[in-house]
Amino acid sequence: MARTSSPVTSSPPRAPGRSSTVSAPRGMALLSPTGHLGFTPIEEASFQVGVARGPDAVVADSGSCDIGPHPLGADEQASPRTWQEHDLRLIFTAARRLGVPMIIGSCSDTGTDRGVRQYAAYLRRLAGELGVPRFRMATIYSDVDLEALRRRVAAGARVEGLDGRPPLTLDDIDATTHAVAVMGAEPIREALRRGADVILAGRASDASLFAAPLLEAGLPAGVAYYAGKVLECASFCAEPFAGKESVLGVVEPEQIVAEPMSDYQRCTPTSLASHAMYERLDPFREVLPGGYVDMTACRYEAVDERRTRVTGSRWVPAERYTVKLEGAGRVGERALMIIGIRDPYTIARVDEAVAWSRRKVAERFRGPGYQVHYHIYGKNAVMGELEPVKEIRSHELGIVVEAVAPTRDEVAELANLAGRNFMYARLPGLRGTAGAAAFLSDEVLPARAAYRWTMNHVVEVDDPLELFRLEVEEVG
């Protein structure tokens, strides 16, 4: 598994049965096949090209906050199970054939204990079907014990809020249905030390999934965590933009060289730098459990037409080790109604039509348990108040009424009332009769229940493994 300091260009797959223990002192090649396992299926052609290059580990994240609070709060997967199993089968089969570690984080979209158990059950079944030789599988659980957290906060522990949130309160915990802690590299490193061939982690920092085997191989934290940041979304770090294509990162003590495995993409200095800077307020700092990656001195150099080398990343340890907590809580039942407007008079006065609908709703439904949101597609539905285009010239508008109420019956009536009143809105000067609005369907569309984020906080811990539970089993 040990690599020399020269970049990997091509090497055959390793013989089955090779030890998966990570011990390379000089460098490693990591294959990143997807930025969100199961969200849409992995492109198989570029993945197999990457497998043929003989990576030292295959690493993939399977979760995201971008999917909203519902999957975590309800403890449900957001992706089709068939797509998740498609991706798991590809990675598992290749990793066991190569005899290298397979590391999956934030299992089944949210990284709850349910997701870890789901993936583990599937791999046990798949291993039996394929007749895979005996291997060692680690499962790392990250569900937060809400009662223990309540006792901790009640005892005076300060749990700081992120992104402007105040410190965590007992009310926040009471409003939480489900919560997870976001692990750093340490629990995954511990699993590698215990000889795990397959690691299924609960909620995990994306970059830490990749950093763990690199750190365990003795590579510096600065380049290890930076490599994780660049590789976490697979082909998103290449150009032209594409999803689900594989990327190979060859990581050495002073540098990473990234290369796309698809034949139409390139990893350029611009594509790597832009990817490293996105998804945060400070483009030069990637904050992770235990510290941050300082990217202010990074140098991006093209190796050739397809590969780029990055040097100069630096790891800055934090004064105290903190772990991020993510939590979500149920708000109520939810329903949708879709309205189309083609009448130019109503389009010109759509804000007044919305106000009319709001008034009619308020006459019947009062209190914080009843909410109606109007998403006007064709007029700031995507950007909201941040939309810079204030004057629209659309010939038609689509309005999605999103209603929230305590019960299914109430939310159906609420959505119906809000939607139908676009047909009856009394606008000044309107001479026609009903018919200024059309419904995609006369019926209200039931939707999944409404949840909200209740926790986006960090808690100080004495041990990076303190909030996580690691189990190791022999499979096969």
Side-chain angles (χ1 to χ4, degrees), residues 379-423:
K379 181 180 182 297
N380 74 12
V382 177
M383 297 279 285
E385 294 181 355
L386 297 177
E387 174 56 63
V389 177
K390 303 300 181 187
E391 182 180 351
I392 61 169
R393 298 183 179 181
S394 305
H395 69 282
E396 62 183 16
L397 293 176
I399 301 176
V400 176
V401 167
E402 180 183 16
V404 177
T407 69
R408 299 298 300 177
D409 287 344
E410 287 176 304
V411 80
E413 182 185 349
L414 181 59
N416 228 330
L417 184 62
R420 289 185 181 179
N421 267 288
F422 279 94
M423 181 174 286

mmCIF file of all heavy atoms in Angstrom, residues 379-423:
data_model
loop_
_atom_site.group_PDB
_atom_site.id
_atom_site.type_symbol
_atom_site.label_atom_id
_atom_site.label_comp_id
_atom_site.label_asym_id
_atom_site.label_seq_id
_atom_site.Cartn_x
_atom_site.Cartn_y
_atom_site.Cartn_z
ATOM 1 N N LYS A 379 -41.511 34.973 -9.951
ATOM 2 C CA LYS A 379 -41.322 36.214 -9.178
ATOM 3 C C LYS A 379 -40.718 35.845 -7.814
ATOM 4 O O LYS A 379 -41.418 35.567 -6.898
ATOM 5 C CB LYS A 379 -42.641 36.944 -8.981
ATOM 6 C CG LYS A 379 -42.525 38.264 -8.198
ATOM 7 C CD LYS A 379 -43.899 38.917 -8.064
ATOM 8 C CE LYS A 379 -43.812 40.245 -7.334
ATOM 9 N NZ LYS A 379 -43.340 40.108 -5.942
ATOM 10 N N ASN A 380 -39.460 35.789 -7.721
ATOM 11 C CA ASN A 380 -38.655 35.620 -6.499
ATOM 12 C C ASN A 380 -38.945 34.370 -5.663
ATOM 13 O O ASN A 380 -38.667 34.357 -4.466
ATOM 14 C CB ASN A 380 -38.683 36.876 -5.621
ATOM 15 C CG ASN A 380 -39.981 37.106 -4.855
ATOM 16 O OD1 ASN A 380 -40.832 36.236 -4.780
ATOM 17 N ND2 ASN A 380 -40.093 38.288 -4.315
ATOM 18 N N ALA A 381 -39.502 33.307 -6.226
ATOM 19 C CA ALA A 381 -39.756 32.096 -5.429
ATOM 20 C C ALA A 381 -38.452 31.456 -4.957
ATOM 21 O O ALA A 381 -38.404 30.841 -3.899
ATOM 22 C CB ALA A 381 -40.559 31.086 -6.241
ATOM 23 N N VAL A 382 -37.408 31.594 -5.740
ATOM 24 C CA VAL A 382 -36.142 30.943 -5.399
ATOM 25 C C VAL A 382 -35.326 31.811 -4.443
ATOM 26 O O VAL A 382 -34.834 31.322 -3.420
ATOM 27 C CB VAL A 382 -35.326 30.652 -6.679
ATOM 28 C CG1 VAL A 382 -33.973 30.053 -6.325
ATOM 29 C CG2 VAL A 382 -36.107 29.712 -7.602
ATOM 30 N N MET A 383 -35.203 33.079 -4.731
ATOM 31 C CA MET A 383 -34.323 33.962 -3.953
ATOM 32 C C MET A 383 -35.038 34.694 -2.825
ATOM 33 O O MET A 383 -34.391 35.232 -1.925
ATOM 34 C CB MET A 383 -33.686 34.995 -4.885
ATOM 35 C CG MET A 383 -32.785 34.415 -5.965
ATOM 36 S SD MET A 383 -31.153 34.037 -5.374
ATOM 37 C CE MET A 383 -30.456 35.689 -5.256
ATOM 38 N N GLY A 384 -36.359 34.774 -2.871
ATOM 39 C CA GLY A 384 -37.078 35.495 -1.836
ATOM 40 C C GLY A 384 -36.712 36.970 -1.826
ATOM 41 O O GLY A 384 -36.570 37.604 -2.888
ATOM 42 N N GLU A 385 -36.521 37.517 -0.643
ATOM 43 C CA GLU A 385 -36.216 38.940 -0.519
ATOM 44 C C GLU A 385 -34.859 39.301 -1.091
ATOM 45 O O GLU A 385 -34.566 40.479 -1.320
ATOM 46 C CB GLU A 385 -36.288 39.349 0.953
ATOM 47 C CG GLU A 385 -37.697 39.256 1.549
ATOM 48 C CD GLU A 385 -37.734 39.694 2.991
ATOM 49 O OE1 GLU A 385 -36.647 39.983 3.537
ATOM 50 O OE2 GLU A 385 -38.834 39.747 3.574
ATOM 51 N N LEU A 386 -34.000 38.303 -1.309
ATOM 52 C CA LEU A 386 -32.672 38.574 -1.882
ATOM 53 C C LEU A 386 -32.715 38.728 -3.396
ATOM 54 O O LEU A 386 -31.715 39.106 -4.009
ATOM 55 C CB LEU A 386 -31.704 37.438 -1.522
ATOM 56 C CG LEU A 386 -31.423 37.233 -0.032
ATOM 57 C CD1 LEU A 386 -30.519 36.021 0.168
ATOM 58 C CD2 LEU A 386 -30.776 38.478 0.573
ATOM 59 N N GLU A 387 -33.854 38.443 -4.034
ATOM 60 C CA GLU A 387 -33.956 38.534 -5.484
ATOM 61 C C GLU A 387 -33.776 39.995 -5.933
ATOM 62 O O GLU A 387 -34.560 40.872 -5.542
ATOM 63 C CB GLU A 387 -35.322 38.013 -5.939
ATOM 64 C CG GLU A 387 -35.616 38.194 -7.410
ATOM 65 C CD GLU A 387 -34.558 37.547 -8.283
ATOM 66 O OE1 GLU A 387 -34.418 36.327 -8.215
ATOM 67 O OE2 GLU A 387 -33.860 38.280 -9.020
ATOM 68 N N PRO A 388 -32.752 40.259 -6.774
ATOM 69 C CA PRO A 388 -32.524 41.655 -7.204
ATOM 70 C C PRO A 388 -33.488 42.129 -8.287
ATOM 71 O O PRO A 388 -33.645 43.336 -8.489
ATOM 72 C CB PRO A 388 -31.077 41.610 -7.720
ATOM 73 C CG PRO A 388 -30.872 40.201 -8.167
ATOM 74 C CD PRO A 388 -31.694 39.351 -7.238
ATOM 75 N N VAL A 389 -34.133 41.213 -9.028
ATOM 76 C CA VAL A 389 -35.068 41.604 -10.089
ATOM 77 C C VAL A 389 -36.416 41.894 -9.443
ATOM 78 O O VAL A 389 -37.114 40.981 -8.993
ATOM 79 C CB VAL A 389 -35.198 40.493 -11.151
ATOM 80 C CG1 VAL A 389 -36.226 40.901 -12.204
ATOM 81 C CG2 VAL A 389 -33.851 40.193 -11.782
ATOM 82 N N LYS A 390 -36.752 43.160 -9.357
ATOM 83 C CA LYS A 390 -37.986 43.546 -8.675
ATOM 84 C C LYS A 390 -39.157 43.686 -9.647
ATOM 85 O O LYS A 390 -40.313 43.553 -9.244
ATOM 86 C CB LYS A 390 -37.766 44.879 -7.946
ATOM 87 C CG LYS A 390 -36.617 44.844 -6.940
ATOM 88 C CD LYS A 390 -36.850 43.788 -5.858
ATOM 89 C CE LYS A 390 -35.701 43.785 -4.846
ATOM 90 N NZ LYS A 390 -35.831 42.656 -3.881
ATOM 91 N N GLU A 391 -38.884 44.003 -10.902
ATOM 92 C CA GLU A 391 -39.959 44.184 -11.880
ATOM 93 C C GLU A 391 -40.019 42.972 -12.796
ATOM 94 O O GLU A 391 -39.037 42.639 -13.467
ATOM 95 C CB GLU A 391 -39.709 45.446 -12.717
ATOM 96 C CG GLU A 391 -40.813 45.719 -13.711
ATOM 97 C CD GLU A 391 -40.550 46.975 -14.530
ATOM 98 O OE1 GLU A 391 -39.599 47.713 -14.189
ATOM 99 O OE2 GLU A 391 -41.283 47.205 -15.503
ATOM 100 N N ILE A 392 -41.130 42.286 -12.816
ATOM 101 C CA ILE A 392 -41.248 41.080 -13.634
ATOM 102 C C ILE A 392 -42.100 41.362 -14.870
ATOM 103 O O ILE A 392 -42.945 42.263 -14.874
ATOM 104 C CB ILE A 392 -41.865 39.921 -12.838
ATOM 105 C CG1 ILE A 392 -43.277 40.271 -12.369
ATOM 106 C CG2 ILE A 392 -40.975 39.542 -11.670
ATOM 107 C CD1 ILE A 392 -44.041 39.092 -11.818
ATOM 108 N N ARG A 393 -41.853 40.589 -15.940
ATOM 109 C CA ARG A 393 -42.648 40.716 -17.157
ATOM 110 C C ARG A 393 -43.154 39.346 -17.597
ATOM 111 O O ARG A 393 -43.283 39.078 -18.784
ATOM 112 C CB ARG A 393 -41.802 41.351 -18.250
ATOM 113 C CG ARG A 393 -41.339 42.760 -17.908
ATOM 114 C CD ARG A 393 -40.557 43.396 -19.019
ATOM 115 N NE ARG A 393 -40.159 44.754 -18.671
ATOM 116 C CZ ARG A 393 -39.464 45.550 -19.483
ATOM 117 N NH1 ARG A 393 -39.090 45.092 -20.667
ATOM 118 N NH2 ARG A 393 -39.146 46.763 -19.092
ATOM 119 N N SER A 394 -43.397 38.482 -16.638
ATOM 120 C CA SER A 394 -43.838 37.125 -16.947
ATOM 121 C C SER A 394 -45.246 37.159 -17.540
ATOM 122 O O SER A 394 -46.089 37.959 -17.128
ATOM 123 C CB SER A 394 -43.851 36.270 -15.684
ATOM 124 O OG SER A 394 -42.591 36.304 -15.055
ATOM 125 N N HIS A 395 -45.513 36.280 -18.511
ATOM 126 C CA HIS A 395 -46.873 36.177 -19.054
ATOM 127 C C HIS A 395 -47.696 35.181 -18.244
ATOM 128 O O HIS A 395 -48.913 35.101 -18.403
ATOM 129 C CB HIS A 395 -46.845 35.769 -20.526
ATOM 130 C CG HIS A 395 -46.392 34.356 -20.754
ATOM 131 N ND1 HIS A 395 -45.070 33.998 -20.710
ATOM 132 C CD2 HIS A 395 -47.093 33.231 -21.009
ATOM 133 C CE1 HIS A 395 -44.977 32.699 -20.934
ATOM 134 N NE2 HIS A 395 -46.172 32.206 -21.117
ATOM 135 N N GLU A 396 -47.022 34.400 -17.390
ATOM 136 C CA GLU A 396 -47.741 33.507 -16.493
ATOM 137 C C GLU A 396 -46.903 33.294 -15.232
ATOM 138 O O GLU A 396 -45.672 33.406 -15.267
ATOM 139 C CB GLU A 396 -48.049 32.166 -17.158
ATOM 140 C CG GLU A 396 -46.829 31.378 -17.577
ATOM 141 C CD GLU A 396 -47.200 30.091 -18.296
ATOM 142 O OE1 GLU A 396 -48.355 29.966 -18.734
ATOM 143 O OE2 GLU A 396 -46.324 29.217 -18.421
ATOM 144 N N LEU A 397 -47.578 32.988 -14.154
ATOM 145 C CA LEU A 397 -46.921 32.731 -12.877
ATOM 146 C C LEU A 397 -47.432 31.415 -12.299
ATOM 147 O O LEU A 397 -48.597 31.060 -12.498
ATOM 148 C CB LEU A 397 -47.199 33.845 -11.865
ATOM 149 C CG LEU A 397 -46.628 35.225 -12.143
ATOM 150 C CD1 LEU A 397 -47.105 36.206 -11.059
ATOM 151 C CD2 LEU A 397 -45.105 35.193 -12.170
ATOM 152 N N GLY A 398 -46.561 30.735 -11.576
ATOM 153 C CA GLY A 398 -46.970 29.545 -10.842
ATOM 154 C C GLY A 398 -46.833 29.808 -9.358
ATOM 155 O O GLY A 398 -45.776 30.262 -8.899
ATOM 156 N N ILE A 399 -47.887 29.577 -8.612
ATOM 157 C CA ILE A 399 -47.865 29.818 -7.169
ATOM 158 C C ILE A 399 -48.057 28.491 -6.442
ATOM 159 O O ILE A 399 -49.031 27.781 -6.687
ATOM 160 C CB ILE A 399 -48.970 30.801 -6.746
ATOM 161 C CG1 ILE A 399 -48.788 32.132 -7.485
ATOM 162 C CG2 ILE A 399 -48.946 31.017 -5.233
ATOM 163 C CD1 ILE A 399 -49.883 33.134 -7.208
ATOM 164 N N VAL A 400 -47.108 28.168 -5.580
ATOM 165 C CA VAL A 400 -47.230 26.973 -4.745
ATOM 166 C C VAL A 400 -47.598 27.428 -3.344
ATOM 167 O O VAL A 400 -46.829 28.142 -2.690
ATOM 168 C CB VAL A 400 -45.924 26.166 -4.724
ATOM 169 C CG1 VAL A 400 -46.057 24.974 -3.768
ATOM 170 C CG2 VAL A 400 -45.568 25.674 -6.119
ATOM 171 N N VAL A 401 -48.784 27.055 -2.917
ATOM 172 C CA VAL A 401 -49.224 27.332 -1.544
ATOM 173 C C VAL A 401 -48.754 26.177 -0.672
ATOM 174 O O VAL A 401 -49.067 25.016 -0.934
ATOM 175 C CB VAL A 401 -50.751 27.471 -1.468
ATOM 176 C CG1 VAL A 401 -51.209 27.437 -0.022
ATOM 177 C CG2 VAL A 401 -51.209 28.753 -2.141
ATOM 178 N N GLU A 402 -47.986 26.487 0.348
ATOM 179 C CA GLU A 402 -47.482 25.485 1.292
ATOM 180 C C GLU A 402 -48.118 25.773 2.644
ATOM 181 O O GLU A 402 -47.891 26.834 3.226
ATOM 182 C CB GLU A 402 -45.956 25.566 1.388
ATOM 183 C CG GLU A 402 -45.359 24.563 2.348
ATOM 184 C CD GLU A 402 -43.851 24.724 2.464
ATOM 185 O OE1 GLU A 402 -43.328 25.772 2.044
ATOM 186 O OE2 GLU A 402 -43.211 23.801 2.994
ATOM 187 N N ALA A 403 -48.907 24.841 3.136
ATOM 188 C CA ALA A 403 -49.643 25.039 4.385
ATOM 189 C C ALA A 403 -49.148 24.078 5.453
ATOM 190 O O ALA A 403 -48.775 22.940 5.161
ATOM 191 C CB ALA A 403 -51.141 24.835 4.144
ATOM 192 N N VAL A 404 -49.155 24.557 6.695
ATOM 193 C CA VAL A 404 -48.756 23.748 7.851
ATOM 194 C C VAL A 404 -49.819 23.909 8.931
ATOM 195 O O VAL A 404 -50.239 25.031 9.232
ATOM 196 C CB VAL A 404 -47.382 24.188 8.398
ATOM 197 C CG1 VAL A 404 -47.015 23.372 9.639
ATOM 198 C CG2 VAL A 404 -46.304 24.063 7.330
ATOM 199 N N ALA A 405 -50.258 22.804 9.489
ATOM 200 C CA ALA A 405 -51.288 22.828 10.540
ATOM 201 C C ALA A 405 -51.114 21.587 11.414
ATOM 202 O O ALA A 405 -50.441 20.633 11.020
ATOM 203 C CB ALA A 405 -52.679 22.877 9.917
ATOM 204 N N PRO A 406 -51.775 21.586 12.596
ATOM 205 C CA PRO A 406 -51.561 20.448 13.514
ATOM 206 C C PRO A 406 -52.062 19.116 12.994
ATOM 207 O O PRO A 406 -51.491 18.070 13.322
ATOM 208 C CB PRO A 406 -52.329 20.880 14.767
ATOM 209 C CG PRO A 406 -52.351 22.370 14.703
ATOM 210 C CD PRO A 406 -52.481 22.695 13.252
ATOM 211 N N THR A 407 -53.169 19.077 12.217
ATOM 212 C CA THR A 407 -53.742 17.793 11.797
ATOM 213 C C THR A 407 -53.862 17.740 10.279
ATOM 214 O O THR A 407 -53.860 18.775 9.598
ATOM 215 C CB THR A 407 -55.131 17.574 12.424
ATOM 216 O OG1 THR A 407 -56.051 18.515 11.835
ATOM 217 C CG2 THR A 407 -55.090 17.758 13.931
ATOM 218 N N ARG A 408 -54.062 16.523 9.730
ATOM 219 C CA ARG A 408 -54.204 16.350 8.287
ATOM 220 C C ARG A 408 -55.465 17.051 7.777
ATOM 221 O O ARG A 408 -55.460 17.662 6.722
ATOM 222 C CB ARG A 408 -54.264 14.857 7.943
ATOM 223 C CG ARG A 408 -53.042 14.061 8.318
ATOM 224 C CD ARG A 408 -51.794 14.520 7.609
ATOM 225 N NE ARG A 408 -51.863 14.441 6.157
ATOM 226 C CZ ARG A 408 -50.878 14.859 5.358
ATOM 227 N NH1 ARG A 408 -49.773 15.390 5.886
ATOM 228 N NH2 ARG A 408 -50.992 14.764 4.068
ATOM 229 N N ASP A 409 -56.558 16.931 8.523
ATOM 230 C CA ASP A 409 -57.804 17.569 8.082
ATOM 231 C C ASP A 409 -57.644 19.087 8.050
ATOM 232 O O ASP A 409 -58.080 19.753 7.110
ATOM 233 C CB ASP A 409 -58.950 17.177 9.018
ATOM 234 C CG ASP A 409 -59.391 15.732 8.819
ATOM 235 O OD1 ASP A 409 -59.032 15.143 7.776
ATOM 236 O OD2 ASP A 409 -60.074 15.198 9.713
ATOM 237 N N GLU A 410 -57.033 19.623 9.082
ATOM 238 C CA GLU A 410 -56.876 21.082 9.138
ATOM 239 C C GLU A 410 -55.951 21.593 8.045
ATOM 240 O O GLU A 410 -56.214 22.623 7.422
ATOM 241 C CB GLU A 410 -56.333 21.488 10.515
ATOM 242 C CG GLU A 410 -57.342 21.376 11.637
ATOM 243 C CD GLU A 410 -56.720 21.688 12.979
ATOM 244 O OE1 GLU A 410 -55.722 21.027 13.346
ATOM 245 O OE2 GLU A 410 -57.222 22.599 13.668
ATOM 246 N N VAL A 411 -54.883 20.872 7.784
ATOM 247 C CA VAL A 411 -53.938 21.380 6.791
ATOM 248 C C VAL A 411 -54.530 21.283 5.390
ATOM 249 O O VAL A 411 -54.257 22.122 4.525
ATOM 250 C CB VAL A 411 -52.583 20.642 6.898
ATOM 251 C CG1 VAL A 411 -52.616 19.273 6.218
ATOM 252 C CG2 VAL A 411 -51.468 21.495 6.315
ATOM 253 N N ALA A 412 -55.370 20.279 5.152
ATOM 254 C CA ALA A 412 -56.025 20.172 3.845
ATOM 255 C C ALA A 412 -56.981 21.345 3.640
ATOM 256 O O ALA A 412 -57.027 21.954 2.560
ATOM 257 C CB ALA A 412 -56.773 18.849 3.748
ATOM 258 N N GLU A 413 -57.738 21.677 4.672
ATOM 259 C CA GLU A 413 -58.656 22.813 4.559
ATOM 260 C C GLU A 413 -57.883 24.125 4.410
ATOM 261 O O GLU A 413 -58.251 24.993 3.610
ATOM 262 C CB GLU A 413 -59.555 22.880 5.800
ATOM 263 C CG GLU A 413 -60.575 24.017 5.720
ATOM 264 C CD GLU A 413 -61.385 24.165 6.994
ATOM 265 O OE1 GLU A 413 -61.307 23.266 7.855
ATOM 266 O OE2 GLU A 413 -62.074 25.191 7.124
ATOM 267 N N LEU A 414 -56.808 24.245 5.155
ATOM 268 C CA LEU A 414 -56.006 25.471 5.114
ATOM 269 C C LEU A 414 -55.423 25.700 3.717
ATOM 270 O O LEU A 414 -55.494 26.806 3.165
ATOM 271 C CB LEU A 414 -54.883 25.364 6.150
ATOM 272 C CG LEU A 414 -53.927 26.535 6.292
ATOM 273 C CD1 LEU A 414 -54.679 27.800 6.668
ATOM 274 C CD2 LEU A 414 -52.861 26.219 7.347
ATOM 275 N N ALA A 415 -54.834 24.666 3.138
ATOM 276 C CA ALA A 415 -54.251 24.809 1.800
ATOM 277 C C ALA A 415 -55.328 25.105 0.769
ATOM 278 O O ALA A 415 -55.136 25.932 -0.137
ATOM 279 C CB ALA A 415 -53.487 23.535 1.438
ATOM 280 N N ASN A 416 -56.451 24.447 0.898
ATOM 281 C CA ASN A 416 -57.552 24.666 -0.041
ATOM 282 C C ASN A 416 -58.060 26.110 0.032
ATOM 283 O O ASN A 416 -58.294 26.757 -0.989
ATOM 284 C CB ASN A 416 -58.691 23.702 0.296
ATOM 285 C CG ASN A 416 -59.213 23.001 -0.930
ATOM 286 O OD1 ASN A 416 -59.168 23.556 -2.022
ATOM 287 N ND2 ASN A 416 -59.696 21.798 -0.759
ATOM 288 N N LEU A 417 -58.194 26.599 1.250
ATOM 289 C CA LEU A 417 -58.697 27.970 1.439
ATOM 290 C C LEU A 417 -57.727 28.985 0.850
ATOM 291 O O LEU A 417 -58.131 29.915 0.146
ATOM 292 C CB LEU A 417 -58.905 28.224 2.934
ATOM 293 C CG LEU A 417 -59.513 29.578 3.310
ATOM 294 C CD1 LEU A 417 -60.907 29.726 2.735
ATOM 295 C CD2 LEU A 417 -59.538 29.742 4.832
ATOM 296 N N ALA A 418 -56.445 28.788 1.133
ATOM 297 C CA ALA A 418 -55.439 29.736 0.625
ATOM 298 C C ALA A 418 -55.355 29.667 -0.890
ATOM 299 O O ALA A 418 -55.221 30.696 -1.568
ATOM 300 C CB ALA A 418 -54.086 29.419 1.251
ATOM 301 N N GLY A 419 -55.450 28.479 -1.462
ATOM 302 C CA GLY A 419 -55.319 28.343 -2.907
ATOM 303 C C GLY A 419 -56.533 28.835 -3.664
ATOM 304 O O GLY A 419 -56.410 29.595 -4.637
ATOM 305 N N ARG A 420 -57.719 28.446 -3.233
ATOM 306 C CA ARG A 420 -58.931 28.807 -3.976
ATOM 307 C C ARG A 420 -59.194 30.303 -3.964
ATOM 308 O O ARG A 420 -59.871 30.836 -4.848
ATOM 309 C CB ARG A 420 -60.126 28.046 -3.396
ATOM 310 C CG ARG A 420 -60.101 26.575 -3.714
ATOM 311 C CD ARG A 420 -61.348 25.861 -3.237
ATOM 312 N NE ARG A 420 -61.272 24.444 -3.554
ATOM 313 C CZ ARG A 420 -62.222 23.559 -3.244
ATOM 314 N NH1 ARG A 420 -63.308 23.971 -2.609
ATOM 315 N NH2 ARG A 420 -62.093 22.280 -3.568
ATOM 316 N N ASN A 421 -58.679 30.999 -2.965
ATOM 317 C CA ASN A 421 -58.935 32.437 -2.917
ATOM 318 C C ASN A 421 -58.137 33.220 -3.936
ATOM 319 O O ASN A 421 -58.339 34.425 -4.066
ATOM 320 C CB ASN A 421 -58.709 32.964 -1.494
ATOM 321 C CG ASN A 421 -60.009 32.954 -0.710
ATOM 322 O OD1 ASN A 421 -60.898 33.767 -0.955
ATOM 323 N ND2 ASN A 421 -60.139 31.988 0.185
ATOM 324 N N PHE A 422 -57.244 32.582 -4.671
ATOM 325 C CA PHE A 422 -56.645 33.277 -5.818
ATOM 326 C C PHE A 422 -57.670 33.389 -6.950
ATOM 327 O O PHE A 422 -57.601 34.285 -7.774
ATOM 328 C CB PHE A 422 -55.395 32.526 -6.311
ATOM 329 C CG PHE A 422 -54.189 32.834 -5.487
ATOM 330 C CD1 PHE A 422 -53.829 32.011 -4.428
ATOM 331 C CD2 PHE A 422 -53.419 33.960 -5.743
ATOM 332 C CE1 PHE A 422 -52.733 32.298 -3.650
ATOM 333 C CE2 PHE A 422 -52.307 34.263 -4.966
ATOM 334 C CZ PHE A 422 -51.967 33.429 -3.912
ATOM 335 N N MET A 423 -58.608 32.465 -6.973
ATOM 336 C CA MET A 423 -59.669 32.552 -7.980
ATOM 337 C C MET A 423 -60.664 33.648 -7.641
ATOM 338 O O MET A 423 -61.230 34.301 -8.516
ATOM 339 C CB MET A 423 -60.376 31.203 -8.075
ATOM 340 C CG MET A 423 -61.480 31.154 -9.107
ATOM 341 S SD MET A 423 -62.154 29.497 -9.281
ATOM 342 C CE MET A 423 -60.839 28.700 -10.189
#
